Amino acid sequence: MLKILGKAESINVAKVLWACDEMGIEFERVDWGMPYRDPKAAEYLALNPNATVPVIDDDGFVLWESNSIIRYLANRQASDLYPSAPAPRAMIDQWIDWQAADLNPAFRYAFGALVRKFPGFTDEGQIEDSRLRWTQKMQIAGAQLEKTGAFIAGPTFTLADIPIGLSVLRWQRTPIDKPDFPALDAYLERLSERRWFNERVASDLP
């Protein structure tokens, strides 16, 4: 059985859990990450030298980086969430990569300061800068959703909606000044119709 190492309240672990549910993959999850088990422990570093969650162990095949993991699982299952045709797959990859490369860095400081309350994340100027950059990225996501009228990569739910959907939920729940983006609100309503998002993600993710 697939083993997932990581705590449920991590957005990156949540990606993998949600993907497994969408694709009907059975798994065992083991809590790693503070305050449960320290990912800097030698046992964990042997699997992932970055000391980040999640890691999967699929019958001896070990893989880290959440977006790589969900792509691997979709390929493993030949899932319709990640079609093999070049153009739709590239569009899905575009939004998955955008979430990691552009959106995550924008929200990291504000979220760390206001929700995680990381030590040292107290600079009001950096919080405001992060808020402004985060808002600009969410405008991009909102414009795309207005264009598709449904999901981030087109009219149907795809693998890209897992990282993007979790990020939109994080945006909604962070206590910062934010403009109204009706397309993002409507998107979360559509996602709430999916079992895992409704029953687990929306309750577990800060």
Side-chain angles (χ1 to χ4, degrees):
M1 182 181 293
L2 178 73
K3 183 178 289 187
I4 301 171
L5 309 182
K7 58 184 182 180
E9 57 267 38
S10 160
I11 191 172
N12 290 323
V13 175
K15 291 179 194 177
V16 179
L17 301 179
W18 188 6
C20 285
D21 187 73
E22 292 285 347
M23 294 184 277
I25 300 172
E26 294 186 359
F27 62 87
E28 173 192 359
R29 187 182 63 80
V30 181
D31 270 329
W32 277 95
M34 303 304 290
Y36 304 104
R37 302 175 74 181
D38 188 351
K40 294 181 181 178
E43 175 187 358
Y44 193 87
L45 289 174
L47 302 174
N48 181 1
N50 301 290
T52 56
V53 295
V55 168
I56 63 165
D57 183 339
D58 188 17
D59 195 24
F61 174 64
V62 174
L63 186 67
W64 38 265
E65 285 299 329
S66 59
N67 289 339
S68 295
I69 291 170
I70 63 173
R71 286 178 173 120
Y72 163 75
L73 294 174
N75 283 322
R76 172 183 181 264
Q77 300 298 110
S79 173
D80 291 341
L81 297 181
Y82 197 44
S84 59
R89 175 169 283 209
M91 183 62 67
I92 292 166
D93 283 336
Q94 170 186 275
W95 288 104
I96 291 175
D97 292 339
W98 178 81
Q99 189 263 354
D102 295 279
L103 181 55
N104 277 0
F107 72 60
R108 185 169 291 121
Y109 197 95
F111 181 78
L114 301 172
V115 178
R116 295 295 193 196
K117 300 190 184 302
F118 291 142
F121 279 56
T122 56
D123 187 301
E124 293 295 334
Q126 290 194 60
I127 293 172
E128 177 62 7
D129 177 69
S130 179
R131 184 190 71 82
L132 291 172
R133 289 186 294 114
W134 194 359
T135 300
Q136 189 267 337
K137 299 304 178 186
M138 298 313 290
Q139 282 181 308
I140 292 173
Q144 173 66 6
L145 290 164
E146 287 177 356
K147 178 180 175 181
T148 68
F151 297 98
I152 198 67
T156 60
F157 181 90
T158 70
L159 201 65
D161 291 295
I162 293 174
I164 296 297
L166 292 171
S167 294
V168 173
L169 182 65
R170 174 164 283 185
W171 160 263
Q172 184 190 64
R173 290 184 169 180
T174 300
I176 58 172
D177 291 333
K178 55 177 78 82
D180 291 331
F181 292 133
L184 299 182
D185 296 336
Y187 180 56
L188 287 180
E189 285 294 321
R190 285 189 286 276
L191 294 180
S192 71
E193 297 172 3
R194 311 194 74 85
R195 184 180 71 89
W196 186 262
F197 186 90
N198 183 46
E199 294 179 8
R200 296 295 302 276
V201 171
S203 61
D204 287 344
L205 195 70

